[in-house]
Amino acid sequence: MSSDDVSRRAFMRTAGGATAAAGAATATAGTAAAQEEQPVWPSGASGGNLGSYQDARGESEVTVQVGAGDSGLAFDPTLLWVDTGTTITFEWTGNGGSHNVQTVDGGGPAGLDSGQAVGEEGATYEFEATEEAAGITHYHCVPHTAVGMHGGLAVGGDIETESTGGGGGSNAVFVPQGARALGVATFIAMVSTLGLAFVFMKYGGTITQEE
């Protein structure tokens, strides 16, 4: 067996180990993401159209699109978690007809009420998440409540939570920024390792002979 063959096999073992380690890191990140804690949403809120989720704690302002999705019959994010003191701006997309934002009867502490339904693009309704709004609130668009235009708002830190991987009421999938970044970095590392392996296998012997 030539020294080139030995070197190539050693390199491939190293590359294989690096790829396996990268894959394990990605799997770990995925598991962490799958087990991310979310508020325990009322079923009516978690079953809302689109089903997107945003943890906006730490932000002083956040925007929710009214009339989101392909049909314009959703709130985006559908489920939102903020700190007390956060200003939430509901902004109309102009899609799906006329909408409003209103807390479902008995749906929670936040008194959301944008008034009459409007369909004008760019219309806004601002709501400040005060201490009185702390907790979880289920809200909807009154004209489109029957077709699933519902949303959920969690305010403050004293919120009951559950793991999204535990089969809770929410179908939303939340992937933390850290996990996404690790996944991207891992993919780049895997591609780079395999690329080096290809170059070594194709040109390794030629380079050695020339030297």
Side-chain angles (χ1 to χ4, degrees), residues 69-83:
D70 293 338
S71 62
L73 298 174
F75 297 103
D76 187 22
T78 311
L79 306 171
L80 175 66
W81 192 358
V82 300
D83 296 319

Side-chain angles (χ1 to χ4, degrees), residues 150-180:
H150 292 252
L153 174 64
V155 177
D158 188 16
I159 298 292
E160 182 182 1
T161 61
E162 63 183 351
S163 171
T164 57
S170 174
N171 293 323
V173 177
F174 171 59
V175 181
Q177 291 287 347
R180 286 198 292 267

Side-chain angles (χ1 to χ4, degrees), residues 134-153:
I136 298 177
T137 297
H138 172 200
Y139 67 93
H140 63 161
C141 166
V142 175
H144 299 113
T145 186
V147 293
M149 192 166 176
H150 292 252
L153 174 64

